[in-house]
């Protein structure tokens, strides 16, 4: 029993246990009736909690404390919540500490809104360093759960400073700090390289990892310098566990590359475009041999060709059906692979399988973040009534509802004929005309009037192709009331066509759109590649040009994959966009923004600051109103 009590005292929230009042007895009398009873029964959190409910007085409280520690040790967060709520009714309990336990349990249960609400009730009541440190830690953890590492680190560093100054242990804090730092870019790390010695030590460590990742000798030397400069820093405990793993992240050394692309059938032209990109990229690389394999071949034939080639790495296949066919093959999984399609519901067999697609969902996410950063309240989304159009609209709406209670206005069109009808209906222009006609009929004479459109729509996002966008924009221009502010218009890369744009920019003045840098004039600094491409394939369609860039990037990504997967804050500047890896496997693109201005395409920089989720906005507003 004594061993059990010691184990419980060093559980995850041991720091919190130290901040209890004198009645928080964490050590039971060895000869008490309670101790004897627990020895004879199951000592799980559930059993201890059930036992506590049958007791009273000090014995009940003692059992609840032990049960709470057991729940933490078991990571039984639902039980921790139940026990902590039961303890909340006891007068002798430290109620601030107990509420922190409840918030901790709900955070672990992913009930972030409830956890944050509890933390805000504790503002002004954090009377001990232990309370303050755990409050900041839990607040930072909630920010981290919402992919807001910068906000999380502000709170984590507050918690770390309090803990160091008061010789406290906040279990899990060091790991949380390290995870958040690894999500920052080198630029963001520079902005955090200030404050206390503790904070500078963490940030310097993260910078060293980014700079020297994959270079064993240099990273090892940097770590030794860091140890001398920041002696006794808490991050030193991470060095054997985490950074030594980083030392082993040598880039893939690929001499023989196998490429699986369609070389027969209906998709052969796509394979040809990809092949051109691979050849262009390998022309200046250390890859000695490239083996092109038709992905339309049988599994057995593909595996036989891979074995014969003795390939170091595989890129492809491209088609979803072929990806699904090969990803589950145990023999194929022996090769590190970059699939040229999205993962979606596929589970990789190994951590050496990556997925790269020209995924339009990434553009939708970019646009949504920009709209939120600009504080637009009511977007209007226009898309073709096709499966892909509906999928992208649903993706936008699903993301938007996490940040706003106002649903976007949605319009689907089936052809060019009904575009005008969809727009006038959404903008309620017909209703305005009807009101004017009523007035004319009442007075039976000509009435001077101006058609008015609804005022609440403050941004329009077009998900149509190049021809559809050129038809939609004039309809939008003529149907917005002259009394209303001009509504900014945005579009995805589907709206842009290099071929059409050469002869017909149409009436696209002011339109913003996302596009991969390869397609935009002046967006990349590799002019020699573009000049060679134009000389060899001057008439290639937009799709072929995008696939060329995809293949070029896929080849150059090989040496970066391990590092990108390890550090979510690291990125690679490619022809298809700024590339990073999400969830250790998925290549994510951040595209360039451009605008039609004075019949020219201008590159623009638009704010994409990640917004606060809706539940955080509400809590922040409530806190502000209470302060006032």
């Amino acid at each position: 029993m004594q061993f059990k009590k010691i184990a419980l005292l060093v559980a995850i929230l041991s720091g919190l246990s130290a901040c209890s009042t004198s009645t928080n007895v964490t050590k039971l009398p060895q000869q008490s009736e309670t101790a004897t009873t627990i020895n004879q029964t199951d000592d799980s959190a559930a059993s201890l909690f059930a036992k506590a409910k049958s007791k009273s007085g000090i014995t009940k409280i003692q059992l609840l404390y032990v049960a709470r520690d057991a729940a933490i040790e078991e990571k039984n967060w639902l039980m921790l919540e139940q026990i902590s709520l039961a303890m909340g009714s006891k007068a002798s309990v430290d109620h601030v500490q107990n509420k922190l336990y409840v918030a901790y349990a709900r955070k672990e249960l992913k009930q972030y809104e409830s956890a944050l609400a509890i933390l805000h009730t504790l503002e002004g009541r954090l009377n001990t360093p232990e309370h303050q440190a755990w409050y900041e830690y839990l607040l930072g953890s909630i920010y981290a759960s919402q992919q807001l590492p910068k906000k999380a680190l502000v709170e984590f560093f507050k918690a770390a400073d309090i803990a160091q100054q008061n010789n406290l242990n906040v279990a899990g804090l060091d790991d949380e700090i390290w995870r958040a730092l690894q999500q920052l870019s080198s630029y963001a790390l520079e902005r955090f390289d200030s404050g206390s010695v503790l904070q500078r030590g963490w940030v310097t460590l993260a910078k060293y990892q980014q700079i020297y990742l994959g270079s064993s000798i240099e990273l090892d030397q940097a770590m030794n310098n860091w140890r001398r400069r920041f002696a006794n820093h808490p991050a030193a405990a991470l060095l054997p566990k985490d950074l030594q793993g980083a030392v082993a992240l040598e880039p893939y050394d690929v001499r023989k590359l196998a490429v699986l692309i369609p070389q027969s059938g209906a998709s052969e032209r796509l394979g040809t475009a990809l092949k051109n990109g691979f050849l262009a990229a390998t022309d200046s690389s250390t890859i000695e041999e490239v083996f092109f394999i038709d992905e339309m071949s049988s599994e057995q034939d593909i595996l036989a060709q891979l074995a014969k080639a003795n390939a170091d790495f595989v890129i492809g296949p491209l088609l979803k059906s072929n990806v699904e066919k090969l990803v589950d093959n145990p023999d194929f999984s022996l090769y590190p692979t970059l699939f040229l399609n999205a993962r979606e519901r596929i589970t990789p067999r190994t951590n050496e399988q990556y997925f790269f697609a020209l995924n339009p969902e990434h553009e939708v996410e970019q646009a949504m973040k920009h709209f939120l950063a600009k504080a637009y309240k009511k977007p209007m989304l226009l898309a073709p009534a096709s499966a892909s159009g509906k999928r992208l609209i649903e993706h936008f709406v699903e993301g938007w509802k996490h940040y706003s209670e106002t649903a976007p206005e949605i319009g689907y069109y089936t052809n060019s004929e009904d575009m005008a009808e969809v727009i006038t209906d959404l903008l309620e222009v017909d209703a305005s005309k009807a009101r004017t006609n009523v007035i004319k009929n009442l007075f039976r004479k000509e009435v001077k009037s101006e058609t008015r459109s609804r005022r609440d729509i403050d941004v329009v996002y077009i998900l149509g192709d190049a021809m559809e966008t050129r038809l939609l924009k004039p309809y939008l221009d003529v149907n917005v009331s002259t009394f209303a502010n001009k509504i900014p218009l945005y579009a995805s890369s589907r709206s842009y066509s290099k071929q059409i744009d050469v002869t017909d920019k149409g009436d696209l003045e002011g339109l913003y759109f996302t596009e991969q840098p390869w397609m935009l004039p002046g967006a990349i600094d590799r002019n020699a590649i573009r000049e060679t491409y134009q000389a060899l394939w001057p008439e290639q369609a937009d799709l072929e040009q995008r696939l060329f860039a995809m293949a070029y990037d896929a080849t150059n990504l090989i040496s970066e994959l391990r590092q990108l997967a390890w550090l979510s804050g690291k990125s690679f500047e490619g022809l298809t966009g700024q590339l990073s890896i999400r969830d250790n496997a998925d290549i994510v693109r951040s595209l360039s923004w451009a605008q039609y201005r004075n019949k020219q395409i201008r590159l623009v920089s638009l704010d994409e600051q990640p917004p606060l989720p809706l539940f955080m906005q509400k809590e922040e507003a409530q806190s502000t109103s209470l302060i006032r």
Side-chain angles (χ1 to χ4, degrees):
M1 180 60 194
Q2 187 66 27
F3 176 82
K4 177 65 176 177
K5 286 188 289 183
I6 293 172
L8 291 173
L9 288 174
V10 295
I12 270 185
L13 285 181
S14 56
L16 268 179
S17 296
C19 70
S20 59
T21 62
S22 59
T23 58
N24 183 354
V25 182
T26 57
K27 188 174 182 180
L28 301 177
Q30 290 187 4
Q31 303 304 318
S32 70
E33 177 188 352
T34 303
T36 303
T37 305
I38 295 173
N39 266 323
Q40 297 171 351
T41 60
D42 179 16
D43 57 0
S44 68
S47 176
L48 291 167
F49 184 43
K51 189 73 175 176
K53 289 192 286 188
S54 67
K55 302 296 180 180
S56 61
I58 187 65
T59 302
K60 184 184 187 78
I61 293 175
Q62 288 175 335
L63 276 167
L64 287 172
Y65 278 124
V66 177
R68 188 174 68 182
D69 288 340
I72 295 166
E73 188 176 40
E74 297 167 10
K75 297 185 178 180
N76 188 341
W77 310 120
L78 191 59
M79 182 57 62
L80 174 62
E81 179 187 37
Q82 293 177 20
I83 295 168
S84 301
L85 290 172
M87 293 179 73
S89 63
K90 307 301 176 185
S92 57
V93 169
D94 181 341
H95 290 284
V96 172
Q97 179 206 64
N98 201 59
K99 282 185 176 292
L100 288 169
Y101 274 100
V102 176
Y104 179 74
R106 291 184 180 171
K107 177 197 70 103
E108 292 295 333
L109 290 167
K110 295 183 170 52
Q111 298 173 7
Y112 302 117
E113 183 173 359
S114 176
L116 185 62
I118 291 171
L119 292 180
H120 282 311
T121 66
L122 300 178
E123 292 173 358
R125 298 170 58 193
L126 305 168
N127 300 319
T128 69
E130 292 89 347
H131 291 164
Q132 294 164 5
W134 279 95
Y135 171 88
E136 300 295 352
Y137 164 65
L138 291 174
L139 186 58
S141 293
I142 293 171
Y143 280 127
S145 72
Q146 304 302 307
Q147 290 75 54
L148 297 167
K150 294 177 187 176
K151 287 184 174 291
L153 282 166
V154 170
E155 310 304 329
F156 286 152
F157 286 136
K158 288 179 186 176
D161 286 338
I162 295 169
Q164 184 183 59
Q165 292 161 13
N166 295 277
N167 196 28
L168 302 173
N169 173 40
V170 181
L173 176 59
D174 290 347
D175 288 334
E176 290 265 29
I177 290 175
W178 189 236
R179 276 194 294 270
L181 284 169
Q182 289 180 306
Q183 296 176 51
L184 299 188
S185 65
S186 56
Y187 173 75
L189 284 174
E190 287 293 343
R191 300 192 67 179
F192 270 98
D193 196 5
S194 60
S196 65
V197 173
L198 182 70
Q199 179 171 331
R200 294 200 304 274
W202 277 112
V203 174
T204 301
L205 191 64
K207 287 164 66 177
Y208 281 172
Q209 182 181 234
Q210 282 204 3
I211 294 169
Y212 301 112
L213 188 62
S215 303
S216 304
I217 297 174
E218 290 87 346
L219 182 58
D220 193 51
Q221 290 174 344
M223 292 304 100
N224 290 331
N225 292 335
W226 182 88
R227 288 186 185 94
R228 288 192 291 270
R229 183 179 172 189
F230 299 99
N232 302 317
H233 193 283
L238 288 171
L239 296 182
K241 179 177 66 176
D242 222 25
L243 284 175
Q244 292 308 314
V247 168
L249 287 177
E250 298 286 355
Y252 288 109
D253 182 19
V254 178
R255 301 296 171 176
K256 296 181 178 181
L257 173 66
V259 177
L260 275 62
I261 51 176
Q263 297 187 82
S264 60
S267 300
E268 183 178 358
R269 73 180 183 94
L270 305 182
T272 301
L274 289 166
K275 188 174 184 178
N276 293 335
F278 288 122
L279 292 173
T282 54
D283 187 52
S284 57
S285 75
T286 58
I287 296 172
E288 297 170 356
E289 295 182 82
V290 183
F291 301 90
F292 290 98
I293 300 172
D294 188 355
E295 68 175 81
M296 308 309 292
S297 304
S298 66
E299 287 183 64
Q300 292 76 15
D301 191 25
I302 289 172
L303 290 169
Q305 292 185 66
L306 288 174
K308 183 179 179 181
N310 193 24
D312 301 313
F313 197 94
V314 177
I315 298 180
L318 172 73
L319 305 179
K320 174 65 73 176
S321 58
N322 292 329
V323 172
E324 293 171 345
K325 177 176 65 178
L326 287 170
V327 75
D328 286 330
N329 189 304
D331 293 326
F332 187 79
S333 66
L334 297 175
Y335 301 93
T337 305
L338 177 59
F339 294 101
L340 298 177
N341 212 310
R343 175 166 55 144
E344 295 179 354
R345 290 175 294 277
I346 295 173
T347 302
R349 290 183 67 93
T350 74
N351 58 3
E352 305 259 52
Q353 292 180 326
Y354 310 91
F355 298 81
F356 179 29
L358 303 182
N359 198 329
E361 278 81 358
H362 299 159
E363 297 183 64
V364 170
E365 292 169 18
Q366 265 188 271
M368 183 191 71
K369 287 181 180 179
H370 173 63
F371 296 167
L372 291 162
K374 290 284 288 184
Y376 292 134
K377 303 297 183 186
K378 184 76 172 178
M380 184 169 84
L381 314 177
L382 297 171
S386 61
S388 61
K390 291 178 180 178
R391 187 186 78 246
L392 293 177
I393 292 290
E394 289 170 3
H395 189 73
F396 185 101
V397 173
E398 183 63 27
W400 182 264
K401 72 181 183 183
H402 292 294
Y403 305 99
S404 175
E405 291 181 320
T406 305
E409 202 69 46
I410 299 169
Y412 292 112
Y413 53 85
T414 56
N415 51 51
S416 59
E417 283 75 26
D418 70 348
M419 285 180 179
E421 183 179 345
V422 169
I423 290 171
T424 55
D425 183 51
L426 290 175
L427 293 174
E428 297 180 358
V429 173
D430 286 342
S432 173
K433 291 178 178 177
R435 289 191 295 270
T436 301
N437 290 333
V438 169
I439 294 172
K440 288 179 179 179
N441 292 333
L442 284 172
F443 291 94
R444 298 189 180 280
K445 64 178 182 179
E446 191 64 30
V447 176
K448 290 185 178 180
S449 64
E450 177 71 40
T451 302
R452 295 174 181 266
S453 60
R454 56 191 294 182
R455 303 285 187 93
D456 57 334
I457 290 174
D458 49 8
V459 63
V460 175
Y461 188 36
I462 301 171
L463 289 162
D465 63 25
M467 293 304 299
E468 291 165 351
T469 303
R470 281 161 173 75
L471 291 171
L472 284 165
K473 188 176 182 298
Y475 288 135
L476 289 163
D477 290 340
V478 300
N479 282 290
V480 174
S481 170
T482 55
F483 295 104
N485 293 327
K486 189 173 183 179
I487 302 176
L489 303 180
Y490 293 79
S492 72
S493 62
R494 293 191 66 221
S495 71
Y496 180 66
S497 168
K498 286 181 70 71
Q499 292 175 308
I500 297 175
D501 208 64
V502 170
T503 57
D504 177 24
K505 288 185 172 59
D507 188 14
L508 297 178
E509 180 68 19
L511 179 75
Y512 295 95
F513 65 99
T514 44
E515 182 56 276
Q516 54 177 265
W518 173 248
M519 302 294 287
L520 296 172
I524 60 169
D525 56 6
R526 287 169 253 194
N527 293 327
I529 303 173
R530 171 52 75 183
E531 290 171 2
T532 302
Y533 184 93
Q534 287 299 115
L536 292 173
W537 304 288
E539 303 298 327
Q540 278 214 324
D542 297 308
L543 177 58
E544 277 83 349
Q545 295 198 49
R546 292 188 172 100
L547 289 174
F548 173 92
M550 181 188 191
Y552 191 93
D553 280 354
T555 308
N556 287 296
L557 271 172
I558 295 174
S559 62
E560 305 285 335
L561 287 170
R562 283 176 171 161
Q563 290 78 14
L564 289 170
W566 183 272
L567 286 177
S568 55
K570 185 177 173 65
S571 62
F572 172 81
E573 296 290 340
L575 301 185
T576 58
Q578 189 174 36
L579 309 177
S580 58
I581 291 185
R582 181 188 296 167
D583 299 330
N584 301 316
D586 302 318
I587 310 294
V588 179
R589 296 186 304 149
S590 178
L591 279 69
S592 299
W593 282 103
Q595 184 187 29
Y596 285 95
R597 194 185 306 162
N598 298 325
K599 296 185 178 181
Q600 297 293 324
I601 293 174
R602 313 284 187 185
L603 297 176
V604 293
S605 178
L606 300 184
D607 187 6
E608 294 175 15
Q609 181 69 28
L612 285 177
L614 188 58
F615 74 87
M616 287 187 171
Q617 296 174 31
K618 291 178 180 177
E619 289 295 333
E620 200 171 75
Q622 290 176 6
S623 297
T624 304
S625 64
L626 288 173
I627 293 171
R628 290 177 180 172

